[in-house]
Structures are given as structure tokens and as C-alpha cells.
């Protein structure tokens, strides 16, 4: 049976093997690596598996995957769109950063999504005039404010006219609107009919136009400078080894933890945890796992209870994380099949320990 066949079978009957989380990550990895070479039926099968599993995979995993794919220009487009349609916590990094989101994709998302997704789209760099026009149709203050504060958004004159009319009742739009460098002069002049005296003064000075209505005395108070809160550095983390020890002591160090940290690109944590689960000294584990070929990786996966269907994911992602060639040959796959079929977890562990002692 092919890897995809195994994964499809496990997606329907997870009790037969890996957890839903492991299957989800395995399908994603296979999709990313082999996506361009898949035929239509295979792509449909992968999408169906992912749709079935998404609701059962905890959000932290889906968020980590979205963050990992946000800058990936080679990721499958339909995988990106599936994640974009997820909750805003999952979709936000892709909406803000993915180069694979086309203008039509964004317009379709505006048509079917809610306020939280609209607000994220409004902050996406370099959105075009059609997207800005669609967002300007919203009556939500946070969406409109995010749009006018997006300095890279392209906004047409007609859309500016819409936004200025809405700023009559939504005062928070007024300041960011008049500070946009591309705001047409005629529209800036029009805003003098209803903005505060301080903003009138700013418009008059910047655009050198006469306000429609001027009081004899303009407010002299300086506007407070608004700045983004300083980004605090990440708090220092506990050492990876202490984390592994804590998880092991509480019985939470399992194969699913390995898949989680590997999918998040935390390869050092993955190596430490894998070595601990196998009871192998760290340096010896790395030497054997990365230098001895696919057989050792398959043996290690079998020993800790990672399912055969997930083996290619472990092999590919672990090597990619270390900048190594990640392609499995037909011989590698055949050998992995032999190991998973012929070894118990205990015998695989014994065989692996014998290899790492040399």
C-alpha cells in the first residue's frame, strides 16, 4: 500500500495507528514535498484527509504550521487556502505574509469571512485598489482604521471619498486619513467641514488650502505622538534539557511531542527528546540518526512508536532542518517497510542500541 493509502486508511480509523495529529502533519509534509508531482486524484485525496482531520488537530499545531508556511512560496496553493479558511488565529500569519495569496483569493475571502479576517486583510502589505474598495464597504471601525493606517495600501479616489464620508461618524478614521501622503487635496479640504480644530490646522498647513470653516482661534495644543508599544523580547526559556526532563518525569514525553516540535522547526528539542525516549546518549543519537541512513531512522521511529505512515515525515523534516538531502529512495522505503513489519518496539530499540554503541 502507498504512503497516501496508509494515511487515508488511518484518517478513517486512527485507532489502527498514529494519532490524528501525526497523520495531519505527515500529510502536510508529503503534500509540501511531493505536491507538484501529484496527480489530480492524489491531490483530492490529500485535501480530503486534511479536511477530515483539521477540526480534530489542536489549534497550536495548526497555528505553528501556518506560521511555518507563511513565507513559503513553494507551498501548495490549496493547502494555504485551507488554512486561510481556518480560525483567525491560524489564518492571520498567512493573510499577512503569504506570497501565494492572489488578489482574487483575498477578494473571495472578504466575501465569505468575518470581521477578524477582514481586519487582518486590511493590514496585509501592498493590497490593491480592488481589495481596499471591498474593505471600505465595511462599517466596522477596526477594519476601516486598519485599512487607512496601512501605509502600503493602494486606495483610489472613489474609495477615499467613501472613507471620508464614513469618518464623519467614525472619528478614529480622521487622523490617519489626513496623514496619508496620497490623500487627494480636494478631499482633504472637504474634511475641514467636520474635523476638530487641531486637524483643520494640520490640513491647512500641510495641504496649503483654506478650510471651508475656520474659527478665529485654532486650538494650539500639540497632538500627542502615537507610537506602537515597544516589542518586548521573548522571556528567557528554560533550557531544553530541563524541559525534556520535566516531560519525561510527568510521562508526557511521547511520539506526538516529537512530531509537534519537529513540525515547528525546533530540531534541537526534537533531537534531545528523541535521544531521551530511546535512552541513547545525545551525540551518539545524532551521529546514528543523521549519518546512518534511512534504516536507522526507521528503526528509531519503530522503537518510540511512530507509525510507518509518519516515517517519511520524520525523515524529510529532520533532514531539511539540518540542511541535508531529504529524498527517500525506493530501496529506503522498502527497507522501512521491512523494519516496521518485522520488528516490535522492543526489538527495534535493542537493535538500535546495538548500532549506537559502535
Amino acid at each position: 500500500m502507498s504512503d497516501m493509502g496508509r494515511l487515508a486508511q488511518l484518517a478513517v480509523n486512527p485507532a489502527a495507528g498514529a494519532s490524528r495529529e501525526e497523520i495531519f502533519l505527515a500529510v502536510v509534509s508529503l503534500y509540501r514535498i511531493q505536491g507538484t508531482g501529484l496527480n489530480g486524484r492524489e491531490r483530492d485525496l490529500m485535501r480530503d484527509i486534511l479536511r477530515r482531520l483539521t477540526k480534530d488537530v489542536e489549534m497550536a499545531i495548526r497555528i505553528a504550521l501556518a506560521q511555518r508556511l507563511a513565507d513559503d512560496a513553494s507551498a501548495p496553493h490549496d493547502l494555504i487556502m485551507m488554512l486561510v479558511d481556518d480560525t483567525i488565529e491560524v489564518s492571520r500569519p498567512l493573510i499577512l505574509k503569504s506570497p501565494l495569496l492572489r488578489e482574487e483569493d483575498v477578494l473571495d475571502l472578504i466575501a465569505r469571512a468575518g470581521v477578524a479576517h477582514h481586519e487582518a486583510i486590511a493590514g496585509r502589505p501592498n493590497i490593491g485598489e480592488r481589495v481596499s474598495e471591498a474593505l471600505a464597504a465595511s462599517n466596522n471601525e477596526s477594519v476601516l482604521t486598519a485599512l487607512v493606517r496601512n501605509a502600503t495600501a493602494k486606495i483610489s479616489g472613489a474609495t477615499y471619498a467613501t472613507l471620508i464620508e464614513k469618518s464623519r461618524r467614525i472619528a478614529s478614521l480622521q487622523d490617519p486619513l489626513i496623514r496619508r501622503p496620497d490623500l487627494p487635496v480636494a478631499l482633504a479640504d472637504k474634511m475641514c467641514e467636520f474635523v476638530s480644530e487641531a486637524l483643520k490646522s494640520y490640513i491647512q498647513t500641510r495641504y496649503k488650502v483654506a478650510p471651508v470653516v475656520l474659527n478665529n482661534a485654532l486650538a494650539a495644543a500639540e497632538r500627542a505622538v502615537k507610537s506602537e508599544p515597544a516589542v518586548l523580547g521573548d522571556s528567557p526559556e528554560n533550557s531544553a534539557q530541563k524541559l525534556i526532563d520535566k516531560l519525561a518525569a510527568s510521562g508526557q514525553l511521547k511520539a506526538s511531542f516529537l512530531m509537534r516540535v519537529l513540525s515547528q522547526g525546533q530540531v534541537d528539542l526534537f533531537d534531545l527528546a528523541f535521544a531521551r525516549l530511546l535512552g541513547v546518549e545525545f551525540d551518539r543519537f545524532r551521529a546514528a540518526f543523521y549519518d546512518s541512513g534511512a534504516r536507522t531512522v526507521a528503526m528509531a521511529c519503530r522503537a518510540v512508536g511512530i507509525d510507518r505512515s509518519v516515517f517519511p515525515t520524520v525523515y524529510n523534516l529532520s533532514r531539511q532542518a539540518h540542511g541535508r538531502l531529504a529524498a527517500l529512495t525506493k530501496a529506503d522505503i522498502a527497507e522501512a517497510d521491512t523494519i516496521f513489519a518485522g520488528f516490535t518496539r522492543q526489538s527495534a530499540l535493542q537493535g538500535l542500541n546495538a548500532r549506537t554503541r559502535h
Side-chain angles (χ1 to χ4, degrees), residues 4-5 8 27 40-50:
M4 279 182 287
V27 174
R41 180 180 175 281
E42 290 169 332
R43 294 175 73 88
D44 288 343
L45 176 60
M46 284 196 167
R47 286 196 294 268
D48 183 58
I49 295 171
L50 291 172

Side-chain angles (χ1 to χ4, degrees), residues 19-323:
S19 69
R20 289 182 180 274
E21 180 179 294
E22 292 172 325
I23 301 165
F24 180 84
L25 294 171
V27 174
V28 168
S29 175
L30 198 61
Y31 206 169
R32 291 178 65 191
I33 295 164
Q34 300 184 13
T36 55
L38 298 174
N39 60 39
R41 180 180 175 281
E42 290 169 332
R43 294 175 73 88
D44 288 343
L45 176 60
M46 284 196 167
R47 286 196 294 268
D48 183 58
I49 295 171
L50 291 172
R51 288 191 192 101
R52 290 188 190 192
L53 295 176
T54 296
K55 65 179 183 300
D56 295 323
V57 175
E58 60 181 88
M59 189 181 294
I61 298 297
R62 305 195 318 266
I63 291 173
L65 175 61
Q67 290 172 337
R68 190 177 182 86
L69 295 179
D71 296 311
D72 189 349
S74 64
H77 178 260
D78 42 7
L79 175 59
I80 295 297
M81 293 308 300
M82 185 195 77
L83 292 168
V84 163
D85 279 332
D86 207 319
T87 63
I88 186 58
E89 292 83 2
V90 176
S91 63
R92 183 180 285 110
L94 294 167
I95 291 174
L96 292 176
K97 297 176 67 177
S98 177
L100 297 176
L101 273 184
R102 302 175 297 229
E103 185 171 63
E104 292 303 324
D105 297 329
V106 175
L107 290 169
D108 287 345
L109 184 60
I110 292 172
R112 66 178 183 272
V115 169
H117 286 74
H118 292 174
E119 189 174 341
I121 293 168
R124 180 176 169 86
N126 302 306
I127 54 177
E129 290 185 355
R130 293 173 65 203
V131 173
S132 294
E133 181 183 10
L135 292 170
S138 171
N139 288 314
N140 184 274
E141 181 175 348
S142 65
V143 173
L144 297 174
T145 303
L147 173 62
V148 297
R149 288 189 183 280
N150 183 348
T152 64
K154 296 178 178 61
I155 302 177
S156 69
T159 300
Y160 265 128
T162 298
L163 290 167
I164 286 170
E165 280 304 305
K166 291 188 175 185
S167 76
R168 288 179 180 271
R169 62 177 179 79
I170 305 176
S172 62
L173 294 180
Q174 295 170 6
D175 183 80
L177 268 172
I178 66 170
R179 295 180 189 278
R180 288 190 64 91
D182 55 345
L183 178 67
V185 173
L187 293 177
D189 190 11
K190 185 176 179 64
M191 289 184 71
C192 288
E193 297 174 7
F194 56 85
V195 298
S196 69
E197 298 300 340
L199 290 182
K200 287 179 191 176
S201 179
Y202 178 87
I203 293 171
Q204 185 181 31
T205 301
R206 177 175 179 182
Y207 294 94
K208 302 189 184 308
V209 296
V212 174
V213 179
L214 276 178
N215 294 331
N216 291 331
L218 295 175
E222 294 182 357
R223 297 179 57 82
V225 177
K226 295 181 180 179
S227 60
E228 295 295 324
V231 178
L232 299 177
D234 294 333
S235 16
E237 298 179 350
N238 293 330
S239 72
Q241 189 60 62
K242 286 183 178 179
L243 174 60
I244 298 303
D245 291 342
K246 181 178 179 181
L247 290 172
S250 62
Q252 297 179 45
L253 189 59
K254 300 176 181 179
S256 58
F257 175 79
L258 295 178
M259 295 305 303
R260 181 179 306 179
V261 295
L262 181 60
S263 71
Q264 294 172 353
Q266 298 174 281
V267 67
D268 290 336
L269 198 55
F270 168 81
D271 290 345
L272 278 168
F274 215 143
R276 178 62 177 270
L277 278 172
L278 293 170
V280 175
E281 193 270 330
F282 179 70
D283 290 336
R284 286 187 177 180
F285 164 78
R286 271 195 165 173
F289 192 82
Y290 292 103
D291 297 333
S292 300
R295 177 180 177 82
T296 300
V297 177
M299 193 84 77
C301 288
R302 183 72 183 100
V304 299
I306 291 175
D307 190 79
R308 164 64 183 86
S309 63
V310 187
F311 158 71
T313 301
V314 174
Y315 185 87
N316 291 323
L317 291 186
S318 61
R319 269 137 185 80
Q320 287 175 2
H322 283 286

